[in-house]
Amino acid sequence: MADEKTRASGESPREAATLPTVNPDAVQSEPPKAAFPPAVYIATWIALSSSVIVFNKWILDTAGFRFPIFLTTWHLTFATIMTQVLARFTNVLDSRKKVPMNGRVYLRAIVPIGIFFSLSLICGNQAYLYLSVAFIQMLKATTPVAVLLATWSLGVAPPNMRTLGNVSLIVIGVVIASFGEIKFNMTGFLYQAGGICFEAVRLVMVQRLLSSAEFKMDPLVSLYYYAPACAIMNGVVCLFSELPRMGMEDIYKVGGFTLLCNATVAFLLNVSVVFLIGKTSSLVLTLSGVLKDILLVFASMLIFQDPVSGLQAFGYSIALGGLVYYKLGADKIKEYMGQGGRAWAEYGSRHPAMRKIVVFALIVFVVFVMLGGLAPRFAPEYDQYAKNKLGSLLGESTGTLPANPNGA
């Protein structure tokens, strides 16, 4: 017995058993890396979104193709064809199989929502015939306000005065920008206001009719379901409103290839939104939208020579500030401002002279933009005099300079 105990105690100890769920020899797989950095998706979305707006404005106004309903119908028809092709030959739209769509749901949800979607597109494109791109972007800043009011009106959420106060800055800024609009047109203003209202009702109807998790759709799947219905609706309106006065010479004038490129860019915009949402956060999407609107205002000034007064710039700045505050909230803004303040202080400690130069240049730029923007509205004679004077300084032939308004 003692020998058995001795032998037992002399046996080499057994190694601890390895759990079946752990394999120390296995190489841990790294999470898949994104094919492109987020900045690429952001830049692509901003470029495509801006291109669609500028492209539409150029076709409808500059190129003289004054058929906005036909253009919208063409976009939706092209989107219908492309989404059907993608659904049958790729896996980009496979998420549509998770949506319990049937004829009853399509008629009770998709079609009513599609009606307001079509109306918002029609009114939005009609506005390009009367208003500048810059002013249209300023008016679009009121979309969150319209959505909030529609939410209360349709009983989706109870009224909240605090939330109304948060969006009041947007309204105040857009009102100031509207007073500063040099080429204000009431018809275009009403079309754009109607488009914003229809879009707000559409968004609330989506929230009301398709709020369950099983009906959550990305923008491309939504386009797959909405585009056919909207194309038919817009086509019927176009049949009675624009086609009787439209001929093939109008299409030849703008060019079939141009219309094809226009529809392609519009469709690629929906594709880019899917990738942008998947690769970034809602914060990035909000800030990217603000940056896109600002760039569009400058693009409108450079490409179409649309005048923007200082009063407009001041009002639009207030509206954008209110929009960011409404989207992010006070706590997030304080957090990001604190991070920015620390980074700015650190930069100032390393480069104090350069920091002073940047601040001074920014002040000069703001004063120059404000005074220069107010001149065309309140002192048009100074505006023309300044343009001619600047041209002579740059060595351009401007003809005879008008007399200085002060007699100098």
Side-chain angles (χ1 to χ4, degrees):
M1 183 70 68
D3 293 341
E4 291 178 0
K5 289 182 179 181
T6 303
R7 286 196 302 268
S9 62
E11 289 178 355
S12 59
R14 295 180 179 179
E15 295 182 358
T18 304
L19 294 175
T21 56
V22 178
N23 186 359
D25 297 328
V27 179
Q28 294 183 354
S29 60
E30 297 181 357
K33 296 182 178 180
F36 300 101
V40 174
Y41 298 102
I42 296 171
T44 302
W45 177 77
I46 291 177
L48 288 173
S49 181
S50 303
S51 299
V52 169
I53 294 174
V54 173
F55 209 163
N56 288 348
K57 173 68 174 178
W58 182 84
I59 289 177
L60 295 172
D61 191 10
T62 307
F65 188 78
R66 305 181 72 83
F67 303 100
I69 301 177
F70 175 85
L71 187 65
T72 305
T73 306
W74 161 236
H75 285 179
L76 293 168
T77 303
F78 184 84
T80 300
I81 296 172
M82 292 303 299
T83 50
Q84 293 295 327
V85 170
L86 290 177
R88 281 161 175 73
F89 299 104
T90 70
N91 58 359
V92 175
L93 288 168
D94 283 354
S95 60
R96 78 187 190 280
K97 299 175 182 177
K98 302 177 183 178
V99 180
M101 188 64 64
N102 53 48
R104 181 172 177 269
V105 174
Y106 198 88
L107 290 176
R108 295 188 62 179
I110 300 298
V111 172
I113 294 172
I115 292 174
F116 285 93
F117 187 32
S118 295
L119 291 173
S120 69
L121 292 175
I122 291 173
C123 290
N125 273 354
Q126 288 280 2
Y128 287 120
L129 300 177
Y130 304 95
L131 302 177
S132 66
V133 172
F135 189 45
I136 288 175
Q137 293 307 119
M138 295 177 189
L139 294 176
K140 284 183 179 180
T142 59
T143 301
V145 182
V147 173
L148 184 65
L149 296 177
T151 302
W152 296 346
S153 302
L154 297 178
V156 177
N160 188 319
M161 292 300 105
R162 183 177 180 182
T163 306
L164 183 62
N166 291 341
V167 300
S168 60
L169 276 178
I170 302 176
V171 178
I172 293 172
V174 172
V175 169
I176 294 174
S178 299
F179 276 111
E181 172 63 15
I182 298 174
K183 296 182 179 180
F184 184 86
N185 184 284
M186 182 55 72
T187 302
F189 177 82
L190 293 177
Y191 270 125
Q192 187 58 47
I196 292 172
C197 292
F198 290 134
E199 176 66 9
V201 173
R202 182 189 75 86
L203 294 174
V204 174
M205 290 180 67
V206 170
Q207 182 181 352
R208 184 70 178 268
L209 300 177
L210 302 174
S211 58
S212 59
E214 58 188 3
F215 285 109
K216 296 297 181 183
M217 297 179 280
D218 63 54
L220 206 54
V221 174
S222 298
L223 192 66
Y224 172 82
Y225 287 115
Y226 288 115
C230 294
I232 294 174
M233 297 175 197
N234 283 28
V236 172
V237 177
C238 180
L239 182 65
F240 294 99
S241 62
E242 292 184 350
L243 280 184
R245 56 188 177 86
M246 178 182 170
M248 288 303 299
E249 62 274 7
D250 295 303
I251 296 179
Y252 294 148
K253 179 181 177 182
V254 71
F257 181 73
T258 301
L259 293 175
L260 179 62
C261 291
N262 180 240
T264 302
V265 173
F267 178 74
L268 290 177
L269 172 60
N270 290 279
V271 177
S272 69
V273 172
V274 176
F275 287 99
L276 181 66
I277 294 175
K279 302 297 181 181
T280 61
S281 63
S282 58
L283 169 65
V284 174
L285 184 61
T286 299
L287 297 180
S288 299
V290 173
L291 177 60
K292 183 257 302 183
D293 292 339
I294 296 173
L295 293 177
L296 268 174
V297 171
F298 282 105
S300 174
M301 296 169 63
L302 293 175
I303 298 175
F304 302 110
Q305 301 296 312
D306 292 332
V308 175
S309 68
L311 190 60
Q312 271 187 294
F314 176 69
Y316 191 44
S317 300
I318 295 176
L320 288 180
L323 179 62
V324 173
Y325 180 81
Y326 174 70
K327 292 286 188 179
L328 302 183
D331 295 336
K332 280 291 184 182
I333 292 177
K334 289 179 181 178
E335 178 184 345
Y336 293 126
M337 287 184 65
Q339 295 176 1
R342 288 190 293 270
W344 177 247
E346 184 180 350
Y347 177 80
S349 62
R350 293 199 310 264
H351 309 283
M354 184 59 67
R355 178 180 176 178
K356 293 179 181 178
I357 293 175
V358 171
V359 172
F360 178 76
L362 183 61
I363 293 174
V364 171
F365 175 77
V366 171
V367 172
F368 179 79
V369 170
M370 290 294 294
L371 295 180
L374 289 172
R377 185 174 183 86
F378 295 102
E381 67 278 5
Y382 279 95
D383 180 53
Q384 187 60 41
Y385 176 79
K387 288 180 179 179
N388 292 332
K389 196 72 172 177
L390 181 62
S392 65
L393 291 175
L394 295 176
E396 298 177 359
S397 176
T398 59
T400 304
L401 288 175
N404 189 318
N406 289 330

